[in-house]
């Protein structure tokens, strides 16, 4: 693990050399490919040191972090073109990458907590420094306070565990089942807000709408997965409490998913629609994870990876339209089929991924999740069927409203996508459909 961390650390001095933007991006791609070759096909921790190690769950999420961050630099060409504090931007993004890699590869619960909270800071700077609207300050405050408010009880819970176990190593902690309500709630709540669960999700659409494209990509791609990853790590010693209380979170998530899908159908802002759809997807991930069944855990992991790629790609598309039109409103982004016909193919491919059409990885994840949730209780079928229906409905709404209809008269320049943009979208869509061939790895079936 250390070789990846050290090699990313050595990118720091590079950020301050002028005109080295694409060089850094190429290096990040190189690290992604090196990391793919370090594949760890085992459910046990490997590449272990005293502090860091990597098992199958961390492996997938670290790879996703490296991939999405290299694509973020590719998508943020406007920062480079307008010379909008490029050095600081690169520095911020590499700091974020280091914190994410450290979060996913920590062996100790406290180190995980430290980096989990630390990754909030660069994200905050991304939104505050490179965001679009003046409301970005409010969005940053929302993000900070929602996350910090529930994280402090978790710190207390971690110190209780340290006093109890004498260690915070993930491997040495899962041989005891607690029956202690305060511990359960203090450990779980931080991750529920990060997911975000319905009712504590208000920071997410706000942060997405104000963030630059790179901020949206990292929020949708990685930040929402931190919550799911944390739950996968703490549930081994909270199972007993989980059997008592998990039905609450499952109910909130499923009902919330349906309500959020209905909210999606009323959105006129492209980014807000995609952000709310993330809440609905993460709702079903959370519900599957909370059933504590093997299929639920595997499905939630695989849908987290899939959603990271798919949602990030949709935010890139919204940004491509925004750079052409100067607006993200669906009232202005109409008839894009006439305007950029070859981009419509990418809208179609990523939208179909968003509504879990085969052969995307989303389909695999959703089928496993639906299986696990229905086998937990058949009463969930009602909400699940509504959720599936409406998620297809708002995706169709997004696609048909943006691609068809009368072209807005203010749009006078005809501009196709650049090669960089097509490559960017291809690198989101290709792994999404390729990974279904490696589904034994995504479903932890090894």
């Amino acid at each position: 693990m250390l070789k990846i961390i050290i090699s990313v650390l050595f990118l720091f001095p590079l950020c301050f050399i002028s005109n080295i933007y694409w060089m850094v991006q190429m290096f990040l791609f190189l690290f992604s490919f090196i990391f793919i070759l370090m594949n760890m096909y085992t459910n046990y921790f490997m590449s272990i040191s005293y502090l860091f190690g990597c098992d199958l769950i961390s492996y997938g999420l670290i790879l996703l972090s490296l991939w999405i961050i290299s694509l973020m630099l590719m998508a943020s060409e406007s920062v480079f073109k307008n010379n909008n504090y490029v050095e600081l931007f690169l520095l911020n993004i590499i700091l974020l990458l280091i914190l994410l890699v450290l979060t996913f590869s920590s062996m100790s619960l406290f180190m995980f907590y430290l980096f989990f909270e630390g990754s909030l800071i660069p994200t905050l700077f991304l939104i505050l420094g490179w965001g679009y609207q003046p409301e970005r300050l409010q969005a940053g405050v929302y993000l900070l306070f929602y996350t910090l408010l529930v994280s402090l009880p978790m710190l207390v819970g971690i110190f209780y565990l340290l006093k109890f176990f004498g260690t915070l190593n993930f491997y040495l902690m899962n041989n005891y089942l607690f029956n202690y309500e305060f511990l359960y709630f203090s450990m779980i709540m931080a991750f529920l807000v990060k997911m975000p669960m319905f009712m504590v999700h208000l920071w997410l659409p706000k942060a997405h709408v104000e963030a630059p494209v790179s901020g949206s990509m990292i929020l949708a791609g990685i930040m929402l997965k931190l919550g799911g990853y944390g739950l996968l790590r703490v549930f081994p010693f909270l199972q007993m409490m989980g059997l008592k209380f998990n039905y609450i979170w499952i109910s909130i998530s499923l009902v919330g998913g349906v309500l959020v899908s209905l909210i999606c159908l009323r959105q006129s802002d492209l980014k807000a629609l995609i952000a709310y759809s993330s809440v609905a997807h993460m709702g079903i991930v959370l519900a599957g994870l909370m059933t504590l069944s093997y299929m639920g855990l595997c499905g939630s992991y695989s849908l987290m990876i899939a959603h990271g790629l798919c949602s990030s790609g949709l935010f890139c598309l919204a940004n491509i339209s925004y750079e052409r039109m100067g607006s993200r409103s669906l009232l202005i982004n109409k008839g894009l089929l006439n305007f950029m016909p070859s981009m419509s193919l990418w809208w179609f491919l990523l939208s179909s991924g968003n509504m879990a059409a085969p052969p995307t990885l989303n389909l695999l994840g959703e089928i496993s999740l639906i299986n696990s949730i229905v086998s937990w209780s058949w009463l969930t079928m009602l909400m699940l069927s509504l959720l599936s229906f409406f998620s297809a409905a708002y995706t169709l709404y997004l696609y048909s409203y943006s691609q068809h209809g009368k072209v807005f008269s203010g749009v006078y320049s005809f501009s196709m996508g650049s090669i960089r943009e097509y490559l960017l979208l291809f690198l989101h869509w290709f792994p999404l459909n390729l990974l279904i061939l490696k589904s034994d790895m995504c479903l932890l079936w090894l």
Side-chain angles (χ1 to χ4, degrees), residues 149-221:
L149 180 70
V150 288
S151 295
L152 290 171
M154 185 186 166
L155 188 60
V156 179
I158 289 175
F159 287 143
Y160 173 80
L161 289 175
L162 179 63
K163 179 172 165 293
F164 187 89
F165 284 119
T167 176
L168 284 176
N169 195 307
F170 285 127
Y171 244 29
L172 305 174
M173 281 176 18
N174 50 10
N175 52 3
Y176 185 83
L177 294 180
F178 283 95
N179 193 359
Y180 186 38
E181 284 84 354
F182 282 121
L183 180 73
Y184 175 77
F185 284 108
S186 68
M187 296 304 286
I188 297 286
M189 279 311 289
F191 300 130
L192 294 185
V193 170
K194 203 70 170 174
M195 281 288 284
M197 186 181 69
F198 183 72
M199 299 207 308
V200 284
H201 70 287
L202 284 177
W203 62 272
L204 183 80
K206 203 126 192 102
H208 270 310
V209 169
E210 305 305 327
V213 59
S214 53
S216 284
M217 285 170 71
I218 198 68
L219 269 172

Side-chain angles (χ1 to χ4, degrees), residues 36-51:
I36 290 176
L37 296 176
M38 292 165 52
N39 52 0
M40 300 164 204
Y41 290 138
T42 157
N43 281 319
Y44 300 105
F45 277 94
M46 300 187 40
S47 318
I48 265 179
S49 71
Y50 280 119
L51 286 177

